Amino acid sequence: MKLRILFPVLALTTGVILYSCSKKDSQSAPAGDKILSVYYPGASMEVKELSIRTKNGAVTDPALIQGFINRNVSPDARANFFVGMTSVPVPPSTQTVSFLNDNRVNVNGVNMEITGAMDSVLLVTEYTATPFPTYATSCGALLGQVPQFTALYNCPDANCATYRKSYPLVVEGANYYAPLLTYAVVTKDCAITATEIPTINTLNPDLNSLLKDGDSVLVQYVKLPLSKKVD
């Protein structure tokens, strides 16, 4: 399992600083990096939720979930769902993230920007703009509604040519976690598994209200603890 980890800048001020959708070329990070601290993934991660969401609620029975996975999830993605487990070891990783001056982080050599803080969540955003997604099927459209921080979060009226991908980091007191979301959807027309799993994101709190008859969403939420590197 490949994990892409994002970490907080500890000096980030509170309040929401939302980034706007971009209709211009990609932006560049400023020069003059100063490393403030370094973090790395912990040894184990906690499985907080594994359920099947429908418009009527959530199904958590392991046998029903396993049957759903066997019928609807692509074979190469099934191992990413941890049925009946509450804790999972983190694969060995050499990934580290450097926190930089001016509310920036460096993830595996790529600079990103801290763009907001709200409700115990920090947002880390890429400088490079990405084309705004389009959906050809009902499954694709539903996939786009499962995570909380997506292109539509950035540009609700969907009239942006591009947007900057953003990733949340959960803050609980003095502890930091990368929220890992793994999901698949079924509609009356099709079934599909998200291609980038796990993704660093939180679950859309309005998901259930957006589901229609025949819609089912298999969703797994895992918290990966982040540890500060001590010299």
Side-chain angles (χ1 to χ4, degrees):
M1 177 174 55
K2 296 180 180 179
L3 302 178
R4 184 184 184 189
I5 310 303
L6 302 177
F7 300 76
V9 171
L10 302 182
L12 179 68
T13 57
T14 58
V16 178
I17 309 173
L18 294 180
Y19 51 89
S20 61
C21 64
S22 172
K23 297 181 175 62
K24 301 179 181 179
D25 294 334
S26 300
Q27 303 180 47
S28 298
D33 296 345
K34 178 181 179 182
I35 296 177
L36 304 179
S37 58
V38 179
Y39 285 71
Y40 59 92
S44 64
M45 50 191 180
E46 183 181 5
V47 181
K48 298 296 293 183
E49 177 182 351
L50 178 56
S51 67
I52 302 170
R53 299 290 189 96
T54 70
K55 63 177 297 184
N56 298 318
V59 175
T60 58
D61 179 80
L64 294 177
I65 290 173
Q66 188 63 62
F68 183 98
I69 292 173
N70 294 342
R71 293 190 306 272
N72 300 297
V73 174
S74 56
D76 59 338
R78 291 172 186 170
N80 291 283
F81 293 95
F82 309 123
V83 181
M85 303 176 70
T86 58
S87 180
V88 182
V90 176
S93 173
T94 59
Q95 293 188 21
T96 59
V97 174
S98 299
F99 293 86
L100 309 177
N101 57 312
D102 297 329
N103 281 345
R104 296 174 299 132
V105 297
N106 184 282
V107 182
N108 294 329
V110 178
N111 280 5
M112 298 186 188
E113 179 185 14
I114 299 292
T115 52
M118 59 182 190
D119 299 331
S120 299
V121 170
L122 300 182
L123 295 179
V124 178
T125 302
E126 296 180 355
Y127 281 97
T128 302
T130 299
F132 200 86
T134 58
Y135 305 108
T137 67
S138 60
C139 282
L142 183 53
L143 277 179
Q145 295 177 319
V146 177
Q148 182 174 8
F149 301 101
T150 64
L152 289 175
Y153 178 87
N154 184 14
C155 186
D157 56 6
N159 67 348
C160 296
T162 62
Y163 76 107
R164 293 167 61 197
K165 290 183 178 180
S166 188
Y167 309 92
L169 180 72
V170 174
V171 184
E172 295 181 0
N175 301 315
Y176 299 86
Y177 302 86
L180 304 181
L181 199 62
T182 307
Y183 53 101
V185 305
V186 174
T187 71
K188 291 180 178 179
D189 307 313
C190 51
I192 190 172
T193 305
T195 55
E196 296 181 5
I197 54 174
T199 181
I200 297 181
N201 219 313
T202 50
L203 185 65
N204 182 353
D206 299 322
L207 176 62
N208 279 54
S209 65
L210 299 173
L211 299 179
K212 304 174 183 177
D213 290 334
D215 290 347
S216 298
V217 179
L218 173 67
V219 58
Q220 177 179 268
Y221 173 48
V222 175
K223 288 172 60 179
L224 173 63
L226 310 176
S227 302
K228 185 176 182 179
K229 184 177 180 180
V230 179
D231 295 330

